[in-house]
Amino acid sequence: MLMRTDPFRELDRLAQQLLGQNDTRLAMPMDAWKEGHRFKVELDLPGVREDDIDLEVERNVLTVKAERRTVDNGNAANGDREIIHAERPAGTFMRQIFLSDALDTEHVEAAYRDGVLTLTIPLAEEAKPRKVLVGSGKQAIEQ
């Protein structure tokens, strides 16, 4: 139901390894699983405020954008803050999730708690399994 790999993401990762770059700002780790008649997706976004998360569905692509703000030297109340070491990546994170036609993109739900964005995507009604009644051939012949 979800595309397991993003070929462009893999190409970016490979290019970064070959060039000796390690851009952790691209990281937005994700887990996805099916639970009954819906899919669940969890994305790690530690340090991101809920107001700085943007979700958009266009056709069958769900785009998650999030921004982690940098720590400013002049952000302290009395202006005496001095950054000694900054390792946590800041900036805009983006991840695209390719969805199947079998998912109901009109009813995506999102919740954010403890740095984890949880998306719930229901299975489309026409994609849900249903029972088919088997009739005897006698009725069909008699009519």
Side-chain angles (χ1 to χ4, degrees):
M1 297 296 174
L2 298 174
M3 187 171 168
R4 291 186 189 269
T5 60
D6 179 357
F8 299 109
R9 184 176 175 91
E10 292 301 312
L11 284 173
D12 284 343
R13 185 187 59 76
L14 182 60
Q16 288 172 4
Q17 284 179 343
L18 292 173
L19 297 173
Q21 298 172 344
N22 187 11
D23 191 357
T24 57
R25 288 181 291 168
L26 296 176
M28 191 185 296
M30 176 182 87
D31 290 334
W33 65 93
K34 184 178 179 192
E35 192 173 282
H37 292 299
R38 62 182 173 225
F39 273 83
K40 292 274 198 165
V41 177
E42 287 185 345
L43 298 132
D44 287 348
L45 295 169
V48 175
R49 296 184 333 199
E50 186 174 345
D51 294 343
D52 292 333
I53 299 172
D54 182 44
L55 297 172
E56 184 178 301
V57 178
E58 185 177 342
R59 296 188 184 167
N60 288 356
V61 179
L62 174 70
T63 302
V64 180
K65 289 183 187 174
E67 182 180 355
R68 183 183 301 134
R69 298 170 190 258
T70 59
V71 177
D72 285 340
N73 276 337
N75 226 7
N78 55 7
D80 65 349
R81 178 181 291 164
E82 178 184 351
I83 303 298
I84 304 300
H85 187 77
E87 246 180 44
R88 297 172 55 215
T92 302
F93 298 75
M94 186 179 89
R95 179 100 188 226
Q96 290 187 317
I97 303 169
F98 298 91
L99 306 175
S100 161
D101 290 331
L103 297 176
D104 185 357
T105 58
E106 295 292 322
H107 295 96
V108 176
E109 296 175 10
Y112 186 63
R113 183 174 176 199
D114 297 332
V116 177
L117 176 65
T118 303
L119 306 173
T120 304
I121 310 164
L123 205 57
E125 285 299 320
E126 55 272 7
K128 290 181 182 176
R130 55 192 170 278
K131 293 270 186 189
V132 176
L133 298 176
V134 178
S136 69
K138 291 182 182 179
Q139 277 186 325
I141 295 173
E142 291 175 5
Q143 292 180 0

